[in-house]
Amino acid sequence: MVTAREAREAAMDASKYVRYTPEQVEALERLYYECPKPSSLRRQQLVRECAVLANVDPKQIKVWFQNRRCREKQRKESGRLQSLNRKLTAMNKLLMEENDRLQKQVSHLVYENGYYRQQTHSAGLATTDTSCESVVTSGQQNLVAAPPPQPPPRDASPAGLMSIAEETLTEFLSKATGTAVEWVQMPGMKPGPDSIGIIAISHGCAGVAARACGLVGMEPAKVAEILKDWPLWLRDCRSMEVVNVLPAGSNGTIELLYMQLYAPTTLAPARDFWLMRYTSILDDGSLVVCERSLSSKQGGPSMPLVQPFIRGEMLPSGFLIRPSDGGGSVIHIVDHLDLEPWSVPEVVRPLYESSAIVAQKMSMAALRYLRQVAHEDTNSVITGWGRQPAALRALSQKLTRLGSSNSTNRSNSL
Amino acid sequence: MVTAREAREAAMDASKYVRYTPEQVEALERLYYECPKPSSLRRQQLVRECAVLANVDPKQIKVWFQNRRCREKQRKESGRLQSLNRKLTAMNKLLMEENDRLQKQVSHLVYENGYYRQQTHSAGLATTDTSCESVVTSGQQNLVAAPPPQPPPRDASPAGLMSIAEETLTEFLSKATGTAVEWVQMPGMKPGPDSIGIIAISHGCAGVAARACGLVGMEPAKVAEILKDWPLWLRDCRSMEVVNVLPAGSNGTIELLYMQLYAPTTLAPARDFWLMRYTSILDDGSLVVCERSLSSKQGGPSMPLVQPFIRGEMLPSGFLIRPSDGGGSVIHIVDHLDLEPWSVPEVVRPLYESSAIVAQKMSMAALRYLRQVAHEDTNSVITGWGRQPAALRALSQKLTRLGSSNSTNRSNSL
DNA sequence: TTCTAATAAGACGTAAGAAG
DNA sequence: CTTCTTACGTCTTATTAGAA
């Protein structure tokens, strides 16, 4: 058993247990990184080549690699379990929140339903149903909340913008986490263990809206950075330009954006948007990015139309990004648009009236892109994950320059 | 380093690495079980006392206990992580199913709501609202399904019972996992990580109903065994008697039960029930226990009234117990009763019309009891976990014997 | 070709040295 | 003492040479 131990250098004689020197460990680690499972031949070669390993028995090398593999395996398994645990816990939390929201929505609908049913009955008896509609309308919250009773000054002044921004934030949050919109199940989007998230689309509210919740293993700041860069993940985005940036409150930023979309068919002109974007941090550490159109209706400055485009309207929308316990983020996305379907021929109008399309093209595309980026480089170099879309973005910019005059200097949103 | 190895027996001489014999390991394990951290003194004592350890160096004993503690710690941590993982995965699945159900319910309600709204509007214009109610009623599924168009023979024959049993099964399942009842959130029962489960109560259906879903770390068969023994966990159960047992189909059993409840106040007489219980196994391995009242209305044999009692009716209810991947069970409970509130004074009538009380006293009590039993003896001896309720059951039987004549020989449901 | 014994290599568990 | 590390025994599995 105590054979071939004489090969070891002078200092140690019969003590079989020796710790390898830091240099030796370093060398072995380096070799392990190159090849964690060297052959018998390769091991002998190592002993000959590497000076610091000259005095080590090839058998010891073999054992060291075995132990090293074993350690890595154990650590990996433990890490895998822990990360899976964090993910599942976060998913659980998200699902419970969604459950809670759905429960509330059900309660509300059941209540409302009872009211309607009663109305229908009483309408058959007496004709006191003139108040019906108004009462119900005030009782339900399914439409976008009306502006506050005393609208603050609405101009392009910082105070005016701030007022609009805060209102947008409130409305977005109530759509994202509350029952401000009657969300219904996205057709074909069953919740599953490997599904992209929880997807819902609007029902019976003005415009078209979609909502998505999901998890992604990425820091909130990075998620926001990506999501704010529409051309990166929104295929239909032809260009986006940040016209103005101004600070708002503590940690808040208000931006004015101009964005152009591609037209889905040649039968209809493309849409463009003038948007206000408000980025801020909530008390609980969540990052919120919310947006809405700026139009003369809102009292803001009237933005000039750009010729081949039809001006679309974005109703309060945005992203809520909450840091998850496991290091990732919980993301809520709401996209609520009015694509002015009156302006397109009737045959293509469904394209402009479908919430499901918004869900597919915007909300889900955003989640999908984030997932892709997050999985693409798990733990490897963080830089360099914007490579593929770069070409696409260049094309987009080129097209933009050809098509209109104002979309050259992009913001440094990446 | 190679000291005190001479103490070892003849066979080995200078080889320092020796495995302990199975007898030695067994002895050490036994000692570890008694005291995992013996003092130096105690260890020397062990060497002297235990014959098989006579040849072992006390230093080796020390090392063995050290390593043993380390191993246990590692194993424990790994096991904890894995079990937590299984639990979270099962919870996730349950929540996703519940989410799906809620989504469907929302879609249905939104649709129905739209219909009512339209009706209300058209009622204001024309008076063609006579068809309204019937149309809506056929469109919704919120009431208990009507019996099939051609009712099979309904008598006490096996065929007749089997027909009732299958129908009961279908109705129970549609309440447990579908939208046969408009379930709404149980007041004050927010879904939480440590909540007992998902609790809902009925709205707008005949009688009072409650629904609970949850996980428990117990095999489905054991869960069914416990849940079928009402006196065990239902505080209000005064007695239960299995009158008849007959096999039904493959693996199925039909039982006829008589059950008495305590009256909640002295102002009202107590309720009793004649029930049919159908136990079977679904294709996916789920265990189902469903119940309903047998009454002359159902064509079954008319059961005699028992004097001080008012005969209550149990609408299709039961337990769906699905084995979970992690070894535990996913449980769905539906309790749907008609407690004949007309028969009690108006002051106590709310007690008989509240779904929330049913949820508290029955559905949640069942889950709570299971949880208690499952946590009480995690991995210890399985037998003996019916001890405490035994006294209660004896009391129940005593009371029953005093109160009525027919509830002596209990079935061997435990 | 197919079956079998010998050999080698790896995974796994564990005894014991070393560092904190 | 705990934690990490080295080293070794045992068991399983894959490969191969030799025999039926």
Side-chain angles (χ1 to χ4, degrees):
Chain A
M1 310 293 190
V2 201
T3 68
R5 181 51 29 73
E6 303 81 320
R8 287 196 58 76
E9 58 188 348
M12 304 297 150
D13 42 342
S15 85
K16 50 167 170 237
Y17 189 94
V18 200
R19 295 225 132 189
Y20 300 136
T21 65
E23 298 83 45
Q24 285 174 328
V25 172
E26 193 189 352
L28 286 167
E29 287 288 352
R30 201 155 9 88
L31 293 167
Y32 181 82
Y33 182 77
E34 287 168 15
C35 168
K37 211 166 178 175
S39 67
S40 180
L41 212 80
R42 171 74 183 142
R43 285 198 302 269
Q44 293 184 1
Q45 191 184 349
L46 294 179
V47 175
R48 276 193 300 275
E49 284 179 5
C50 196
V52 287
L53 298 177
N55 298 330
V56 184
D57 189 334
K59 194 179 164 190
Q60 285 177 293
I61 303 285
K62 186 185 88 172
V63 170
W64 189 90
F65 273 92
Q66 274 180 3
N67 283 322
R68 182 60 237 268
R69 283 195 297 269
C70 188
R71 278 198 295 271
E72 172 150 298
K73 191 172 161 186
Q74 284 173 346
R75 274 200 267 273
K76 225 175 188 168
E77 177 63 9
S78 157
R80 193 189 63 83
L81 273 176
Q82 280 186 8
S83 111
L84 187 59
N85 248 313
R86 281 196 295 266
K87 213 165 169 178
L88 283 169
T89 304
M91 192 65 186
N92 246 303
K93 200 171 154 194
L94 181 64
L95 281 168
M96 283 190 287
E97 284 170 10
E98 180 69 1
N99 236 294
D100 196 41
R101 193 194 63 74
L102 283 166
Q103 294 267 19
K104 285 198 178 70
Q105 190 180 353
V106 165
S107 297
H108 178 247
L109 283 167
V110 164
Y111 164 79
E112 195 176 285
N113 212 310
Y115 184 85
Y116 275 120
R117 213 174 297 186
Q118 201 180 343
Q119 280 295 317
T120 310
H121 280 205
S122 62
L125 298 170
T127 32
T128 59
D129 57 338
T130 49
S131 66
C132 146
E133 199 179 344
S134 63
V135 169
V136 169
T137 305
S138 75
Q140 74 179 21
Q141 311 148 357
N142 298 329
L143 302 174
V144 174
Q150 285 209 336
R154 291 300 179 77
D155 49 24
S157 74
L161 283 174
M162 195 61 213
S163 153
I164 299 177
E166 287 294 344
E167 187 185 307
T168 307
L169 177 63
T170 305
E171 291 187 22
F172 159 64
L173 286 179
S174 71
K175 289 177 193 176
T177 64
T179 53
V181 168
E182 265 183 11
W183 298 112
V184 298
Q185 195 165 14
M186 168 85 182
M189 282 305 293
K190 280 232 183 192
D194 291 325
S195 75
I196 197 167
I198 299 168
I199 316 291
I201 57 178
S202 66
H203 177 273
C205 73
V208 285
R211 177 175 169 279
C213 318
L215 304 173
V216 64
M218 208 189 292
E219 290 308 304
K222 196 156 289 293
V223 172
E225 193 181 25
I226 292 174
L227 289 182
K228 285 168 82 169
D229 194 7
W230 293 70
L232 209 51
W233 56 269
L234 179 59
R235 294 292 193 90
D236 282 354
C237 187
R238 183 170 171 178
S239 72
M240 185 191 84
E241 184 190 357
V242 176
V243 177
N244 206 347
V245 180
L246 54 155
S250 60
N251 290 322
T253 310
I254 290 178
E255 292 161 286
L256 301 183
L257 309 176
Y258 176 70
M259 181 175 69
Q260 293 178 340
L261 299 182
Y262 290 112
T265 78
T266 54
L267 291 172
R271 265 62 185 151
D272 64 353
F273 295 84
W274 273 105
L275 302 173
M276 189 207 59
R277 173 195 280 164
Y278 177 36
T279 305
S280 64
I281 296 179
L282 298 187
D283 293 337
D284 66 349
S286 303
L287 235 157
V288 194
V289 180
C290 58
E291 290 154 329
R292 80 178 295 170
S293 273
L294 283 178
S295 67
S296 50
K297 283 179 271 178
Q298 295 302 331
S302 181
M303 295 301 179
L305 294 177
V306 182
Q307 235 328 296
F309 291 94
I310 300 243
R311 182 61 41 85
E313 184 180 2
M314 178 176 287
L315 298 152
S317 305
F319 317 111
L320 168 63
I321 308 156
R322 201 172 41 200
S324 174
D325 299 330
S329 306
V330 181
I331 304 170
H332 295 249
I333 300 176
V334 171
D335 293 301
H336 192 173
L337 307 172
D338 185 346
L339 294 169
E340 316 292 345
W342 51 265
S343 66
V344 302
E346 202 152 348
V347 279
V348 294
R349 203 165 293 169
L351 287 177
Y352 292 79
E353 289 173 332
S354 159
S355 291
I357 289 180
V358 174
Q360 283 282 357
K361 287 196 166 183
M362 302 185 71
S363 322
M364 290 167 67
L367 270 191
R368 249 195 295 266
Y369 183 77
L370 288 170
R371 283 275 166 84
Q372 186 191 324
V373 169
H375 277 90
E376 218 169 51
D377 54 316
T378 306
N379 261 345
S380 80
V381 224
I382 306 296
T383 58
W385 45 256
R387 289 293 168 266
Q388 294 88 345
L392 207 145
R393 207 191 308 173
L395 173 67
S396 167
Q397 288 191 17
K398 205 178 294 176
L399 286 168
T400 306
R401 267 193 292 275
L402 286 173
S404 88
S405 62
N406 53 358
S407 57
T408 44
N409 55 340
R410 294 191 63 260
S411 85
N412 57 348
S413 52
L414 184 64
Chain B
M1 311 299 188
V2 201
T3 68
R5 182 50 29 72
E6 304 80 323
R8 285 199 57 78
E9 55 191 349
M12 303 297 149
D13 44 342
S15 83
K16 55 198 147 212
Y17 188 91
V18 198
R19 297 234 141 190
Y20 300 135
T21 66
E23 297 82 43
Q24 287 174 327
V25 171
E26 194 189 351
L28 287 167
E29 286 288 351
R30 202 155 6 89
L31 294 167
Y32 181 82
Y33 182 76
E34 287 168 15
C35 168
K37 213 167 179 175
S39 68
S40 177
L41 213 78
R42 171 78 183 135
R43 286 199 303 268
Q44 294 183 1
Q45 191 185 348
L46 295 180
V47 175
R48 275 192 301 276
E49 284 179 6
C50 195
V52 287
L53 299 176
N55 298 329
V56 184
D57 189 333
K59 194 178 162 190
Q60 286 177 292
I61 303 286
K62 184 189 79 174
V63 170
W64 189 90
F65 274 92
Q66 279 177 358
N67 281 320
R68 181 62 238 267
R69 283 194 294 271
C70 190
R71 281 198 292 272
E72 170 148 299
K73 194 170 174 181
Q74 285 173 347
R75 272 201 273 272
K76 228 176 187 167
E77 177 64 9
S78 157
R80 193 188 63 82
L81 275 176
Q82 281 187 6
S83 114
L84 186 60
N85 236 301
R86 280 196 295 267
K87 214 164 169 176
L88 284 170
T89 304
M91 192 66 186
N92 242 299
K93 200 171 152 194
L94 181 64
L95 282 168
M96 282 191 288
E97 284 170 11
E98 180 70 1
N99 236 294
D100 195 41
R101 193 194 62 76
L102 283 166
Q103 294 266 18
K104 285 198 178 69
Q105 191 179 353
V106 165
S107 296
H108 177 247
L109 283 167
V110 164
Y111 163 80
E112 194 176 286
N113 214 310
Y115 183 85
Y116 273 121
R117 211 174 300 186
Q118 202 180 346
Q119 281 294 319
T120 309
H121 279 204
S122 62
L125 299 169
T127 32
T128 60
D129 57 337
T130 49
S131 65
C132 145
E133 198 179 344
S134 64
V135 169
V136 169
T137 306
S138 73
Q140 74 180 19
Q141 311 150 355
N142 298 329
L143 301 175
V144 175
Q150 285 208 336
R154 289 303 177 76
D155 49 25
S157 73
L161 283 174
M162 194 61 212
S163 152
I164 299 176
E166 288 294 345
E167 186 184 307
T168 307
L169 178 63
T170 307
E171 291 186 23
F172 158 64
L173 286 179
S174 71
K175 289 178 192 175
T177 64
T179 53
V181 168
E182 266 184 10
W183 297 114
V184 298
Q185 194 165 11
M186 168 86 182
M189 283 303 295
K190 281 231 185 196
D194 291 324
S195 76
I196 197 166
I198 299 167
I199 316 291
I201 56 178
S202 67
H203 177 274
C205 73
V208 284
R211 177 176 170 278
C213 319
L215 303 173
V216 65
M218 206 188 294
E219 290 308 305
K222 198 158 285 299
V223 172
E225 194 180 24
I226 293 175
L227 289 182
K228 286 168 82 169
D229 194 6
W230 293 69
L232 208 54
W233 56 269
L234 180 59
R235 294 291 193 93
D236 282 353
C237 186
R238 183 172 170 176
S239 72
M240 184 190 84
E241 184 191 357
V242 177
V243 177
N244 205 348
V245 180
L246 54 156
S250 59
N251 289 320
T253 309
I254 291 178
E255 292 161 287
L256 300 183
L257 309 176
Y258 175 70
M259 182 176 70
Q260 292 178 340
L261 299 182
Y262 290 112
T265 79
T266 54
L267 292 173
R271 266 62 186 150
D272 66 352
F273 295 83
W274 271 106
L275 301 174
M276 190 208 59
R277 175 196 279 167
Y278 177 35
T279 306
S280 64
I281 297 179
L282 298 187
D283 293 336
D284 65 348
S286 303
L287 234 157
V288 194
V289 180
C290 57
E291 289 153 330
R292 78 176 297 167
S293 275
L294 283 178
S295 68
S296 51
K297 283 179 271 177
Q298 295 302 330
S302 182
M303 295 303 177
L305 294 177
V306 181
Q307 237 326 301
F309 291 94
I310 299 243
R311 182 62 42 88
E313 183 181 2
M314 180 176 288
L315 298 152
S317 305
F319 317 110
L320 168 62
I321 308 157
R322 202 172 41 200
S324 174
D325 299 330
S329 306
V330 182
I331 304 169
H332 295 249
I333 300 176
V334 171
D335 293 302
H336 193 173
L337 307 172
D338 186 345
L339 293 169
E340 316 293 346
W342 51 263
S343 65
V344 303
E346 202 152 349
V347 279
V348 293
R349 202 166 294 169
L351 287 177
Y352 292 79
E353 288 173 331
S354 159
S355 290
I357 289 180
V358 174
Q360 283 282 358
K361 286 196 167 183
M362 301 186 70
S363 322
M364 289 167 67
L367 271 191
R368 251 194 294 265
Y369 183 77
L370 287 170
R371 284 274 166 83
Q372 186 191 323
V373 168
H375 278 90
E376 218 169 52
D377 54 319
T378 306
N379 260 345
S380 79
V381 222
I382 306 295
T383 60
W385 44 257
R387 289 294 168 267
Q388 295 88 345
L392 208 145
R393 209 189 307 171
L395 174 68
S396 168
Q397 288 191 17
K398 206 178 296 176
L399 286 169
T400 305
R401 267 193 292 276
L402 285 173
S404 89
S405 62
N406 53 358
S407 56
T408 44
N409 55 340
R410 294 193 63 258
S411 84
N412 57 348
S413 53
L414 183 62

